């Protein structure tokens, strides 16, 4: 399984001949190395309704035919944009796909945007546990620290976890270190940092702070890791 980082919370998972693109914030993101027009994933997983996570989901889904995986409230919004290939789920639910399975996990954050001058909410934000090739990969989405992260790691022993470290809108490095301990993942990759000045962080310092037994992996934009 190949996992690559593309700025903010955008992660690409390639497994079993399938590609899953998570939170494709590409347009308007100087920290992303992808081209919207070139992306042809099989699936797009969206953690919540903020613009820097929905990103270019609609265009990519229409040009590729990718199935969108998201919460049922956000699914209704995508349906209104003319997209029918959607796997609507909710937190706690698990669903099988041809690459493996996906389970939605809690995330403590918001999930709204402004459309035509009105604030529109897209339900509860979430994280994902992707299971493929017998391995569990956790993408926390945007979230603060919460103690039930212990359960996420206990229910699905994690090969790797992507955790936000930007602070202000999500966990900062100190809380993300505690989250890594709670989750017990073998490897931890920081995300959601340095896209904007308000979430500037030092990823090297974060990975160096992780507890013994947890391998911190800083991925530069465009870099990948095999698990």
């Amino acid at each position: 399984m190949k996992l690559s980082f593309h700025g903010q919370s955008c992660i690409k998972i390639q497994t079993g001949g399938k590609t899953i693109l998570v939170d494709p914030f590409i347009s308007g993101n100087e920290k992303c190395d992808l081209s919207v027009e070139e992306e042809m994933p099989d699936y797009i997983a969206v953690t919540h309704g903020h613009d820097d996570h929905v990103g270019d989901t609609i265009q990519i889904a229409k040009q590729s035919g990718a199935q969108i995986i998201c919460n049922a409230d956000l699914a209704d919004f995508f349906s209104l944009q003319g997209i029918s290939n959607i796997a609507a789920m909710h937190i706690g639910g698990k669903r099988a796909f041809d690459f493996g399975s996906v389970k939605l996990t809690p995330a403590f954050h918001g999930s709204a945007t402004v459309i035509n001058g009105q604030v529109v909410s897209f339900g509860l934000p979430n994280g994902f546990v992707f299971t493929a090739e017998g391995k569990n990969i956790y993408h926390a989405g945007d979230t603060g620290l919460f103690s039930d992260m212990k359960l996420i790691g206990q229910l699905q022993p994690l090969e790797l976890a992507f955790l936000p470290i930007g602070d202000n809108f999500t966990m900062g490095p100190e809380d993300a270190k505690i989250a890594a301990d709670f989750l017990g993942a073998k490897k931890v990759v920081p995300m959601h940092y340095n896209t904007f000045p308000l979430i500037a962080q030092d990823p090297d310092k974060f990975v160096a702070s992780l507890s013994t037994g947890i391998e911190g992996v800083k991925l530069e934009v465009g870099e990948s890791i095999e698990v």
Side-chain angles (χ1 to χ4, degrees):
M1 189 187 321
K2 181 179 178 181
L3 308 162
S4 53
F5 174 61
H6 302 282
Q8 192 73 334
S9 301
C10 183
I11 306 298
K12 186 179 288 189
I13 303 171
Q14 294 169 292
T15 179
K18 302 295 181 181
T19 298
I20 308 154
L21 191 60
V22 186
D23 286 355
F25 175 39
I26 301 172
S27 297
N29 180 8
E30 295 180 355
K31 301 293 185 180
C32 187
D33 62 318
L34 302 179
S35 169
V36 176
E37 292 74 20
E38 295 176 1
E39 290 305 306
M40 298 293 287
D42 300 284
Y43 298 91
I44 305 169
V46 184
T47 60
H48 64 289
H50 288 162
D51 294 344
D52 60 330
H53 295 264
V54 171
D56 300 284
T57 294
I58 293 169
Q59 180 176 336
I60 295 171
K62 287 182 176 179
Q63 73 192 21
S64 66
Q67 185 172 41
I68 299 174
I69 304 170
C70 62
N71 79 57
D73 302 291
L74 194 51
D76 288 339
F77 166 73
F78 288 132
S79 180
L80 291 173
Q81 311 311 307
I83 299 170
S84 59
N85 191 12
I86 307 170
M89 302 177 65
H90 263 315
I91 291 171
K94 184 178 180 179
R95 185 163 174 167
F97 296 90
D98 57 6
F99 60 83
S101 66
V102 176
K103 185 173 184 179
L104 264 63
T105 62
F108 286 81
H109 194 61
S111 184
T113 192
V114 176
I115 300 176
N116 297 325
Q118 299 294 317
V119 177
V120 179
S121 178
F122 294 121
L124 295 174
N126 61 265
F128 294 108
V129 174
F130 299 96
T131 301
E133 302 179 36
K135 298 171 183 176
N136 299 312
I137 307 299
Y138 177 51
H139 186 295
D142 276 11
T143 187
L145 175 66
F146 58 98
S147 60
D148 280 354
M149 285 180 168
K150 295 177 183 178
L151 289 176
I152 294 174
Q154 289 171 9
L155 292 172
Q156 303 113 158
L158 301 173
E159 189 72 23
L160 184 147
F162 290 97
L163 298 180
I165 67 165
D167 219 343
N168 194 77
F169 299 111
T170 68
M171 294 185 290
E174 296 83 4
D175 283 0
K177 177 186 183 300
I178 298 170
D181 290 335
F182 284 172
L183 292 162
K186 294 178 183 178
K187 297 180 176 65
V188 170
V189 179
M191 64 175 185
H192 203 278
Y193 66 92
N194 291 354
T195 318
F196 315 109
L198 195 55
I199 58 171
Q201 296 293 340
D202 182 345
D204 292 302
K205 183 177 179 181
F206 168 70
V207 299
S209 77
L210 293 172
S211 299
T212 302
I214 300 174
E215 181 184 351
V217 181
K218 183 193 77 169
L219 293 178
E220 299 289 351
V221 172
E223 284 189 336
S224 62
I225 183 173
E226 301 269 353
V227 298

